[in-house]
Amino acid sequence: MTGPVVSRWTGRQAADSLDLISSMPPGDARLCFAPGWGLRAFGADEGLLFELVFCFSCHHRWLWGPAVPEELAFDTISGNTAEADALLAHFRDAA
């Protein structure tokens, strides 16, 4: 993932965002995959846990990191849900 870090979420902000991500249903895949938003998760002592990028246009997310199984790496999301809108609002507010 490239680009500047625009915000650091901890506590409730991080938990709310992860709740939104985990509640997003699968979507119908499209082809563009031009992710505009992403996040990096760090453990208190573990360092980098994972990175996750989203393309809300083509309904994909890509997850990778030291402990991420390959079968979880690329998945679809529904970019047209209340959860997706709320997550996108979190990203935009942070920027």
Side-chain angles (χ1 to χ4, degrees):
M1 179 168 40
T2 62
V5 173
V6 296
S7 183
R8 296 185 188 276
W9 295 336
T10 60
R12 188 77 254 151
Q13 276 187 308
D16 288 348
S17 296
L18 291 173
D19 286 345
L20 287 169
I21 291 166
S22 66
S23 67
M24 292 172 72
D28 296 324
R30 298 179 187 162
L31 297 177
C32 70
F33 197 67
W37 303 97
L39 55 90
R40 292 181 186 106
F42 294 89
D45 298 321
E46 299 86 8
L48 179 68
L49 298 174
F50 63 86
E51 296 183 75
L52 179 60
V53 294
F54 298 89
C55 181
F56 290 95
S57 298
C58 71
H59 302 247
H60 280 103
R61 66 179 169 198
W62 185 21
L63 172 69
W64 70 96
V68 176
E70 188 173 318
E71 64 271 11
L72 296 179
F74 206 66
D75 198 6
T76 61
I77 59 168
S78 181
N80 304 334
T81 63
E83 295 87 356
D85 290 344
L87 182 61
L88 194 51
H90 276 280
F91 287 140
R92 288 181 175 148
D93 287 347

